[in-house]
Amino acid sequence: MISDNFSLMIHGGAGALQHIRREGNESDFMQSMQRILEGGRQVLVSGGTALDAVEYCAVHLEDDPLYNAGRGSVLNEYGEVEMDAAIMDGQGLEAGAVAGITNVKNPIALARRVLEKSEHVMLIGKGAREFANLHNVEIMTDNYFVIDSRIRQWREAQKAGGMMLDHEDVTPQHKLGTIGAVARDGNGNLAAATSTGGIVNKRWGRVGDSPIVGAGVFADNETCAVSATGYGEQFQRTVLSKMVSDFVHFKGMDAQAAATAGINYLVDKVNGLGGVIVIDRNGHCGVGHSTSGMIYGAIELGGESLCHLA
Ligand code: GLY
């Protein structure tokens, strides 16, 4: 029987968020998060699984050009959108991931197809695109992805001759992109999803943490579901999402304690910058970030949806 003991969290990146307030689009983010969380609630109350809910939320975050994922992804050194995504089912630790993909409208939907329809965990580049065609995943033209604000940001990065980590600003404390979702359904199953355009002006086929199981995403029904955002290299080197799960497994922490411990570890080990959202096996929600701000929303154990841009 399906209970209403479901929980759902989403995030839209971490960083210093002053520029969002300065530009006056704080309410755009809040409305978008609220709408997506409530849509995710409907998926769960109508009997959808945790995996369905995180895919639903990630697809809608990817479709919204406010976020650095899907439409609205940042541009690489060639001025192209190249995306990474992963989804994980906490029941059986099944996972699907894609990296360095182009023109796929919803990388997270492709990642789910990898999970369900292939015997592999990760597909990349051209092969991933072929797999997408085989499974009728929606493909869009470059125009769909390349939006004006991203072109301006990319030109700035090219002028500065470096890579940038997020939406609008060169300084690292500004908002980091990447979206994600974690859920626990009424049957106690956990799932996590993370999707990103990566970092601005990225080179050489750079892939961040988002599609790496254990780094940018992790889910295990016995511990928790985690989605990360921040400097991908730091999350890869610390295997941060699995680390958060280990805090639950070995130290008996709940979601909030594990999120805090994970971020403390990230900072202690590599002076890392970013954040995590976490739901534990009991449906409790946690969040942690070493950046000054993070955009996230949560429904804990069927309660009201609360969004934060702090
Ligand atoms: N956290 C996203 C990335 O570094 O690509």
Side-chain angles (χ1 to χ4, degrees):
M1 197 178 94
I2 295 163
S3 76
D4 62 359
N5 279 340
F6 62 85
S7 294
L8 178 64
M9 293 186 84
I10 58 176
H11 72 78
L17 308 178
Q18 293 92 319
H19 70 288
I20 291 177
R21 297 201 178 86
R22 204 172 51 232
E23 287 158 15
N25 57 359
E26 193 175 349
S27 65
D28 295 343
F29 277 96
M30 294 299 272
Q31 280 166 20
S32 160
M33 301 282 284
Q34 192 77 31
R35 182 175 43 79
I36 292 168
L37 264 181
E38 285 303 326
R41 182 202 297 276
Q42 286 316 309
V43 172
L44 289 164
V45 295
S46 57
T49 63
L51 202 63
D52 294 333
V54 296
E55 182 187 6
Y56 171 92
C57 291
V59 159
H60 285 80
L61 290 159
E62 287 174 340
D63 288 346
D64 191 330
L66 282 174
Y67 307 100
N68 174 18
R71 181 158 199 243
S73 286
V74 299
L75 306 185
N76 68 11
E77 65 171 326
Y78 308 112
E80 300 163 344
V81 164
E82 233 176 17
M83 301 166 288
D84 307 326
I87 191 164
M88 187 159 182
D89 190 346
Q91 186 181 29
L93 306 190
E94 290 187 344
V98 290
I101 56 162
T102 57
N103 299 93
V104 171
K105 180 168 181 274
N106 293 113
I108 205 69
L110 180 56
R112 182 156 181 189
R113 298 285 213 295
V114 174
L115 184 157
E116 287 175 343
K117 309 270 183 214
S118 84
E119 68 268 38
H120 307 299
V121 170
M122 182 182 283
L123 302 181
I124 64 163
K126 261 194 338 209
R129 179 66 179 277
E130 211 176 301
F131 180 82
N133 292 340
L134 199 65
H135 291 283
N136 299 317
V137 169
E138 198 170 357
I139 301 296
M140 304 300 274
T141 62
D142 291 345
N143 290 347
Y144 170 80
F145 295 95
V146 181
I147 60 175
D148 286 348
S149 58
R150 295 299 185 208
I151 296 173
R152 279 197 301 278
Q153 179 192 45
W154 173 69
R155 289 203 176 116
E156 265 178 52
Q158 291 238 312
K159 231 187 291 169
M163 288 185 268
M164 286 165 61
L165 284 152
D166 87 304
H167 277 242
E168 306 289 347
D169 296 284
V170 193
T171 50
Q173 262 297 311
H174 279 263
K175 185 183 169 301
L176 304 173
T178 299
I179 63 89
V182 291
R184 177 192 186 274
D185 62 33
N187 291 320
N189 290 314
L190 295 173
T194 307
S195 179
T196 190
I199 61 178
V200 186
N201 209 26
K202 63 187 179 182
R203 307 177 71 187
W204 302 311
R206 180 265 186 192
V207 172
D209 60 313
S210 304
I212 311 289
V213 169
V217 68
F218 194 73
D220 178 350
N221 277 7
E222 290 182 9
T223 57
C224 61
V226 186
S227 174
T229 172
Y231 280 77
E233 284 71 8
Q234 297 164 342
F235 283 75
Q236 284 170 304
R237 289 158 58 207
T238 52
V239 201
L240 208 274
S241 294
K242 176 62 161 64
M243 194 68 205
V244 170
S245 167
D246 284 351
F247 280 122
V248 176
H249 187 77
F250 295 110
K251 302 269 189 194
M253 292 183 185
D254 67 6
Q256 186 52 59
T260 303
I263 293 300
N264 287 343
Y265 180 83
L266 178 76
V267 172
D268 289 348
K269 284 285 177 187
V270 296
N271 201 20
L273 211 48
V276 289
I277 53 171
V278 185
I279 293 178
D280 64 32
R281 64 181 178 273
N282 298 315
H284 293 128
C285 296
V287 62
H289 50 98
S290 58
T291 47
S292 59
M294 183 156 172
I295 301 170
Y296 67 95
I299 294 172
E300 190 170 46
L301 297 171
E304 68 176 305
S305 52
L306 298 171
C307 295
H308 304 263
L309 197 155

